[in-house]
């Protein structure tokens, strides 16, 4: 908008500014949608109240994996003993903290990301936005009327349990843990999910005394029990104390640090407390009531084209379909294709807004993009399909998984076959000879003769997973998987052993 602020009507109310699309929240998903629609020639307003790029590059995937890379290098150096000599390692957190500031986050500055978006033709507005009736978004005193739609990519925030006393303490979430420049002597981690375990192992490898407290009876409870055992064993080998089945009752903070008391009388103390007990969307802030959408849920329900309701799409963590960057990116492609498809169809008749000159170029792009969508058929938009959703817990060993776990498959009444093998019984696992073991677990639908889930844990578990993702995604017949050639001696060759072991 040219300087001078919004245009106002006689009552001093801001006049809505007509645009094609407004994207609320420019995290991974929102930035992708907004950028690609802008590149397609639409007038796109992208609204972000914090940093463009969202959680992943500043407090999530990227800096945490930098921390893990450093911690794994330390662990690997310590493995030289017994394999090829002796190595002495002196961990230095300052190098990690510096790399996160300098290389990952630009000291938590999003100038480059903003320019990336505006360079694609998008219009950036910094602020908190909310829907204000059909097609309308308010950001402070600016109001936008979106001709073709609103996209919500507003993500999640840490979900902090209602534990007595906790809210009044200076506990850490993932943000403080990622930003830390000087490590504490001891750390309590409340929550034994993927993020909690990854960070617990990193800090332990840098010499912090770490205790993980988990309410459920195993860590990594959404994955296979064997994954929980592998992760717990690896962390314990790194000196991490793990307590499962402990429900936090009260948290206190004083000069000596934190005290966490469990409902069973357990007491844990540490200098710092990291709370990583899940995340939740904050739907009540989005003005959903003004368009008749219920904001009472934990997430925003969407259909398989990411529609929330007429003219509104959602993308990323806010949809509750899997809190992963790759899910946000996958959904973004569908949203882009669907918005363009809607636009093309609405422009099929007369241009009701009289803005053909603004979007005329975009309509052409829209038709060609929609026509060459991933399904390849004219006018069709790919539908979201999460059957082969991959996920990786970047502990050491890495634990990759795709599709259903054994229990999930049995709960669905599927005629399940399970194949299991330990990496240590494969040639590569035996040669590798480290304290980090792994395994391959396959879940097959015996009636269909295909894999419907798999786990690959090991030194490169996340990479080994890729073949299994293809198998589940494309429903490759088991007979074909059995008659493939698996390179020798690789970690992934263990998949052929697990296939041979498939049984009830
Ligand atoms: C420690 C950690 C490690 C992780 N590691 C991985 C990993 O290894 N691999 C992986 O795939 N995923 C990982 N994730 C998850 C990943 O970060 C998220 O899945 C991803 O960031 C989701 O993107 P999003 O666009 O949905 O939301 P977000 O990244 O959360 O972005 C949402 C944006 O919307 C903005 N916003 C919210 N409301 C408004 C509003 N009303 N107006 C304007 N702006 C608003 C927010 O400020 C935010 O920038 C990790 C997460 C954490 C916390």
């Amino acid at each position: 908008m040219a300087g001078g602020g919004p245009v106002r009507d006689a009552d001093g109310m801001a006049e809505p500014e007509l645009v094609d699309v407004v994207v609320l929240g420019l995290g991974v998903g929102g930035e992708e949608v907004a950028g690609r629609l802008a590149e397609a020639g639409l007038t796109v307003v992208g609204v972000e109240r914090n940093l463009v790029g969202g959680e992943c590059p500043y407090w999530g995937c990227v800096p945490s994996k930098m921390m893990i890379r450093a911690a794994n290098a330390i662990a690997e150096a310590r493995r030289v003993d017994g394999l090829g000599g002796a190595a002495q390692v002196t961990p230095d957190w300052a190098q990690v903290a510096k790399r996160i500031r300098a290389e990952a986050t630009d000291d938590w500055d999003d100038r480059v990301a903003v320019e990336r978006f505006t360079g694609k033709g998008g219009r950036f507005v910094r602020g908190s936005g909310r829907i204000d009736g059909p097609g309308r978004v308010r950001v402070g005193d600016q109001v936008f009327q979106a001709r073709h739609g609103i996209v919500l990519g507003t993500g999640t925030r840490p979900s902090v349990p209602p534990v007595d006393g906790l809210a009044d303490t200076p506990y850490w979430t993932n943000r403080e843990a990622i930003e830390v420049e000087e490590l504490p002597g001891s750390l309590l981690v409340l929550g034994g999910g993927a993020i909690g375990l990854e960070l617990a192992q990193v800090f332990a490898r840098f010499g912090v005394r770490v205790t993980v407290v988990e309410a459920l009876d195993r860590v990594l409870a959404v994955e296979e029990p064997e994954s929980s055992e592998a992760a717990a064993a690896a962390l314990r080998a790194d000196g991490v104390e793990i307590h499962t089945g402990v429900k936090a009752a009260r948290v206190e903070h004083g000069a000596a640090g934190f005290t966490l008391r469990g409902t069973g009388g357990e007491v844990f103390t540490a200098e710092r407390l990291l709370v990583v007990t899940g995340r939740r969307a904050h739907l009540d802030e989005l003005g959903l009531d003004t368009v008749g959408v219920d904001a009472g849920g934990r997430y925003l329900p969407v259909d398989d084209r990411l529609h929330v309701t007429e003219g509104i799409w959602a993308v990323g963590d806010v949809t509750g379909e899997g809190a992963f960057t790759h899910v946000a990116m996958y959904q973004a492609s569908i949203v882009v294709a669907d918005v363009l498809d809607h636009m093309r169809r609405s422009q099929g008749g007369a241009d009701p807004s009289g803005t053909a000159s603004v979007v005329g170029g975009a309509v052409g792009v829209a038709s060609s993009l929609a026509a060459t969508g991933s399904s390849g058929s004219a006018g069709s938009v790919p539908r979201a399909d999460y059957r082969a959703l991959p996920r990786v817990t970047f502990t050491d060993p890495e634990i990759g998984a795709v599709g259903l776990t054994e229990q999930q498959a049995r709960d669905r009444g599927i005629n399940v076959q399970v194949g299991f093998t330990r990496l240590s019984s494969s040639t590569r696992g035996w040669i590798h000879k480290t304290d980090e073991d792994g395994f391959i677990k396959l879940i097959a639908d015996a009636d269909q003769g295909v894999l419907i889930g798999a786990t690959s844990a090991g030194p490169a578990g996340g990479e080994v997973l890729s073949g299994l993702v293809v198998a589940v995604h494309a429903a490759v017949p088991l007979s074909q998987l059995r008659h493939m050639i698996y390179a020798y001696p690789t970690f992934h060759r263990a998949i052929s052993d697990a296939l041979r072991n498939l049984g009830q």
Side-chain angles (χ1 to χ4, degrees):
M1 177 176 297
V7 179
R8 296 182 184 282
D9 64 16
D11 301 325
M13 299 294 285
E15 291 263 358
E17 190 185 337
L18 201 59
V19 298
D20 288 330
V21 174
V22 178
V23 180
L24 262 191
L26 296 183
V28 179
E31 188 193 349
E32 178 74 4
V33 170
R36 284 178 58 187
L37 289 177
E39 279 179 321
L42 277 70
T43 51
V44 180
V45 170
V47 185
E48 171 56 54
R49 67 173 163 212
N50 199 347
L51 297 180
V52 173
E55 205 70 12
C56 180
Y58 298 104
W59 297 283
C61 334
V62 177
S64 70
K65 266 77 249 175
M66 258 182 196
M67 292 160 68
I68 289 167
R69 166 80 179 120
N72 287 0
I74 288 170
E76 194 63 6
R78 286 173 178 152
R79 290 180 188 126
V80 166
D81 285 31
L83 279 176
Q88 209 179 355
V89 190
T90 312
D92 176 11
W93 185 257
Q95 287 184 22
V96 184
K98 190 171 160 206
R99 187 167 180 220
I100 288 174
R101 273 168 176 70
E103 294 176 35
T105 67
D106 271 352
D107 212 2
W108 291 276
D109 182 327
D110 67 351
R111 192 175 47 81
V112 172
V114 171
E115 286 171 3
R116 187 168 61 215
F117 173 54
T118 54
K120 291 174 181 170
R123 157 117 167 261
F124 179 59
V125 175
R126 179 95 61 193
S128 250
R130 55 185 287 127
I131 299 171
D132 191 18
R136 188 173 297 207
V137 170
R138 186 176 289 276
V139 190
D141 63 356
Q142 297 185 77
V143 185
F144 300 96
Q145 183 69 39
R147 265 184 294 255
H148 298 299
I150 297 171
V151 180
L152 299 172
T154 46
T156 54
R157 293 208 291 269
S159 158
V160 177
V163 175
D164 197 19
L166 176 60
D168 303 324
T169 67
Y171 64 85
W172 282 359
T173 65
N174 62 298
R175 294 203 168 187
E176 291 77 17
I178 296 282
E179 290 178 15
V180 66
E181 286 186 272
E182 264 185 50
L183 294 182
S186 55
L187 176 72
L188 268 172
V189 179
L190 185 60
I195 294 174
L197 296 188
E198 288 179 7
L199 294 174
Q201 191 174 43
V202 164
F203 289 128
R205 288 180 166 184
F206 275 86
V208 179
R209 188 170 56 77
V210 181
T211 306
V212 174
V213 175
E214 164 60 50
L216 299 175
D217 62 358
R218 60 187 175 101
V219 294
L220 221 53
V222 294
E223 299 296 352
E224 298 283 7
E226 294 89 344
S227 303
S228 307
E229 281 166 26
L235 264 71
R236 286 190 172 118
D238 279 315
V240 176
E241 257 189 55
I242 297 182
H243 298 269
T244 54
V246 177
K247 299 197 175 33
R250 182 164 175 75
V251 170
E252 292 146 21
H253 180 257
F258 286 84
T259 303
L260 186 151
R261 297 179 195 280
T263 52
E266 308 89 339
V267 181
F268 306 97
T269 58
E271 198 178 319
R272 289 283 170 195
L273 170 67
L274 168 62
V275 179
V276 272
T277 45
R279 303 179 65 86
R280 64 179 293 264
H282 289 259
L283 303 180
D284 49 335
E285 304 171 353
L286 299 178
L288 290 163
D289 52 314
T290 67
V291 285
V293 172
D294 178 19
R298 194 175 159 92
Y299 297 108
L300 202 49
V302 286
D303 68 11
D304 57 7
R305 290 183 186 184
L306 287 316
H307 271 156
V308 178
T309 186
E310 185 59 32
I312 301 183
W313 287 259
V315 65
D317 284 9
V318 72
T319 66
E321 298 287 0
F324 300 102
T325 286
H326 45 270
V327 170
M329 298 293 279
Y330 170 74
Q331 294 176 329
S333 289
I334 297 172
V335 172
V336 168
D338 204 39
V339 168
L340 294 175
D341 185 54
H342 265 68
M343 199 178 94
R344 182 180 55 81
R345 283 192 275 121
S346 73
Q347 304 278 321
D351 177 11
S353 61
T355 54
S357 61
V358 179
V359 294
V363 173
V365 180
S367 331
S368 61
L369 278 183
T372 57
S374 70
S375 66
S377 56
S380 66
V381 174
R383 289 168 188 266
D385 173 0
Y386 305 101
R387 279 174 309 126
L389 173 63
R391 52 221 184 249
V392 179
T393 302
F394 291 89
T395 45
D396 176 18
E398 272 179 19
I399 298 173
V402 59
L404 301 179
T405 62
E406 178 182 350
Q407 193 58 52
Q408 286 167 341
R410 293 198 189 284
D411 289 347
R412 291 181 190 198
I414 294 169
N415 182 9
V416 170
Q417 281 187 317
V418 177
F420 185 87
T421 190
R422 289 220 163 268
L423 288 194
S424 52
S425 64
S426 72
T427 307
R428 180 59 183 277
W430 172 74
I431 292 170
H432 200 70
K433 193 178 190 277
T434 68
D435 45 0
E436 38 156 275
D437 192 15
F439 63 88
I440 302 284
K441 181 170 180 178
L442 306 179
I443 312 299
D445 179 329
D447 296 338
Q448 303 297 320
V450 294
L451 292 182
I452 50 172
T455 298
S456 67
E463 307 304 322
V464 169
L465 185 69
S466 67
L468 296 166
V469 177
V470 174
V472 174
H473 177 76
V476 180
L478 289 171
S479 54
Q480 285 200 21
L481 293 175
R482 285 194 176 105
H483 295 291
M484 270 173 57
I485 304 173
Y486 297 83
Y488 177 89
T490 56
F491 289 117
H492 77 252
R493 193 175 155 80
I495 293 171
S496 61
D497 296 336
L499 281 165
R500 249 196 319 277
N501 294 341
L502 268 178
Q504 301 302 319

